[in-house]
Structures are given as C-alpha cells and as structure tokens.
C-alpha cells in the first residue's frame, strides 16, 4: 500500500488533463471529490480490455474521483499519473 497519503499534484493534473481532453469542459470547472491510495494488481491498473496484455506486477497508485458538479469521473493511476485509466 502507498505510505504517502498526500496525492502528488502531477496525478491531479493528469486526471484533469484527460477529462478536459475528452470532454467539453475546462479544468477550472473541475474539483477533486476523493483520492485514495491503492495497489493495483497489474500494469493495466486492474482495467484490462479484452485480449490486452498487462505487466503482471503490483502497481502503487491512486484512485481519483473528480467532478464538475454534474458529472463524476473515477480514475486509476500509478504514483505519478503517467499511467491512468478511467473506470467505466
């Protein structure tokens, strides 16, 4: 489990960048609802697609929930935000 319970700003930035890239919303409308450190079961952060190959190693990271007040998005990331996936 992740010992540092303060989420890095880079992780929040990565989540907000992904939301703004894929939705018609600006980052200043977004806020973080919840962050939770987590250990994911593989390199796909536990969200592998059909026939997708994932590294079989534990990945320390975060679950981040963000909202614009109308829509809520839940993301899984690694510790830095370089690897992130949205939950369906």
């Amino acid at each position: 489990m992740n010992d540092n319970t303060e989420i890095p700003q880079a992780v929040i930035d990565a989540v907000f960048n992904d939301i703004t890239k894929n939705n018609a919303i600006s980052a200043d409308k977004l806020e973080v609802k919840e962050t939770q450190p987590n250990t994911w079961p593989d390199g796909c952060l536990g969200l592998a697609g059909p026939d997708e190959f994932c590294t079989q190693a534990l990945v320390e990271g975060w679950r981040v929930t963000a909202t614009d007040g109308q829509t809520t998005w839940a993301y899984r990331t690694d510790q830095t935000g370089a690897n992130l996936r949205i939950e369906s």
Side-chain angles (χ1 to χ4, degrees):
M1 183 71 63
N2 197 321
D3 291 332
N4 183 358
T5 57
E6 186 172 333
I7 190 167
Q9 186 62 44
V11 172
I12 301 297
D13 292 345
V15 168
F16 282 12
N17 287 340
D18 196 70
I19 293 170
T20 60
K21 181 178 71 174
N22 295 306
N23 300 275
I25 188 166
S26 72
D28 63 346
K29 303 284 186 203
L30 297 172
E31 66 180 49
V32 175
K33 283 182 67 172
E34 183 180 9
T35 64
Q36 180 180 15
N38 212 319
T39 302
W40 307 113
D42 55 41
C44 294
L45 310 177
L47 297 172
D51 300 321
E52 183 176 11
F53 175 77
C54 305
T55 57
Q56 298 301 303
L58 297 177
V59 175
E60 297 292 325
W62 297 89
R63 184 176 189 274
V64 180
T65 307
T67 186
D68 66 356
Q70 296 179 3
T71 304
T72 299
W73 296 269
Y75 278 82
R76 296 180 183 186
T77 77
D78 62 7
Q79 286 185 320
T80 66
N83 183 7
L84 78 156
R85 292 184 179 225
I86 190 166
E87 296 178 358
S88 54

